[in-house]
Amino acid sequence: MTDSSAVLGQERAAVADSCRRLGAAGLLIGTAGNVSVRVEGLVAITATGAVLAELTPDQVTVVDLDGKIVDGTLEPTSELDLHLGVYRRYGTGAVVHTHAPMATALSCVLDELPCIHYQLLAVGGTVRVAPYATFGTPELAESVITALDGRSAALMANHGALTHAQTLEKAVEHALLVEWACGVYQHAAALGPPRVLDEQQQLAVIEAAIARDYGTTHPVPPAQEGTS
């Protein structure tokens, strides 16, 4: 039960729910990974050392955009500077960092995940792989933030993946999408060189999605009077 008196109580509960969802999907293993959501100048972020698949709202700490703890009894994740850097650079609303198996595997061998399926356009198309740096360091934060330019997702070399979006739900969806696409790439590469959507094909998908309002439900229009 969420403590309504806590700072960002609803957001802390949402972060915990998202971690449990990602854990159930196999994207968060043990204490590896971190999730946050921003509300104006405050950020609710997972605590370091917490088992994410079992996370509770009291294991989510609130900080300001300078990293100062505003509420909570636990130290925030060691990747705090990475999350805050993404918020400062892109003004986004939520950040998800996972050590998802497929994404991590491909981050060890690729310089980028090519746009092999049109759904990757939801995160900007090609997913860049940020050069390796030690976790929790300014070098890692800068590397990943640069790789995110014009994108909502990046892989982190020999480490994992990071996604962001205006809402926590969408950032989680991006994380699930990237892991799925990495799996598709791995299976395709086992059979032969994967085909990649070229720029013209990607543009055609964008135009079709706009024309059809792709990704939203559409009620069946009522039958016109006089038709059988």
Side-chain angles (χ1 to χ4, degrees), residues 63-175:
V63 301
D64 63 20
L65 290 176
D66 291 324
K68 179 183 177 182
I69 294 177
V70 174
D71 197 28
T73 60
L74 299 174
E75 289 289 330
T77 173
S78 59
E79 298 292 9
L80 175 63
D81 288 345
L82 172 56
H83 286 249
L84 297 181
V86 173
Y87 290 126
R88 286 193 291 262
R89 181 76 62 89
Y90 299 111
T92 196
V95 175
V96 171
H97 165 44
T98 74
H99 292 186
M102 284 295 179
T104 303
L106 292 192
S107 79
C108 296
V109 297
L110 296 181
D111 293 325
E112 64 179 26
L113 172 65
C115 189
I116 56 169
H117 193 282
Y118 64 82
Q119 282 190 281
L120 276 173
L121 293 171
V123 295
T126 299
V127 180
R128 304 183 187 101
V129 179
Y132 179 80
T134 304
F135 75 91
T137 62
E139 291 79 13
L140 176 64
E142 186 56 37
S143 172
V144 176
I145 290 167
T146 299
L148 285 170
D149 186 28
R151 301 288 189 272
S152 298
L155 299 185
M156 305 158 69
N158 302 80
H159 187 156
L162 185 139
T163 60
H164 70 90
Q166 286 303 319
T167 67
L168 181 56
E169 181 179 9
K170 185 60 69 174
V172 169
E173 289 177 6
H174 286 343

